[in-house]
Amino acid sequence: MPESHVRSETLRAGSPVSIGAVTLLFIERVVVHTSKEGFGAWFSAMKEPYAIIVRDNEGIRSIETETMRTSLEKLRKELPGFDTALASMPKPP
């Protein structure tokens, strides 16, 4: 039987979390691997932080760390519905 390997990678926004006057939106990267060889198959998935978006009295911005480096503009291009996710973040009081 022929072997088949499939890998998919997706960015997705979580639900906004408000803490006082600050709202956080976590962007995660999900990678799924599947493989079928002969009569066996395997599946694995991984979810990791990709970006953290902060909305507070200073506006909306992405937070960068050693492992997460991105910008709002880059996320707009990479993540369908990103502007909708930003709009769902409550404005600070």
Side-chain angles (χ1 to χ4, degrees):
M1 299 191 106
E3 296 180 7
S4 70
H5 301 279
V6 177
R7 179 182 188 274
S8 68
E9 185 174 326
T10 306
L11 291 179
R12 64 185 187 189
S15 298
V17 176
S18 294
I19 303 166
V22 177
T23 301
L24 304 173
L25 178 65
F26 298 96
I27 308 299
E28 56 196 25
R29 182 174 76 104
V30 179
V31 179
V32 177
H33 296 269
T34 59
S35 179
K36 183 177 178 185
E37 299 177 16
F39 293 105
W42 63 268
F43 168 87
S44 69
M46 175 182 71
K47 180 171 80 168
E48 65 183 7
Y50 186 80
I52 300 172
I53 308 303
V54 177
R55 180 175 200 162
D56 59 15
N57 291 327
E58 296 177 23
I60 297 176
R61 64 192 176 283
S62 65
I63 298 293
E64 293 189 359
T65 67
E66 286 183 27
T67 58
M68 295 184 293
R69 300 207 182 280
T70 192
S71 67
L72 295 176
E73 290 73 30
K74 183 177 178 190
L75 286 169
R76 279 191 173 96
K77 293 176 185 174
E78 295 178 333
L79 180 59
F82 181 65
D83 286 322
T84 302
L86 289 180
S88 72
M89 297 176 75
K91 293 181 181 178

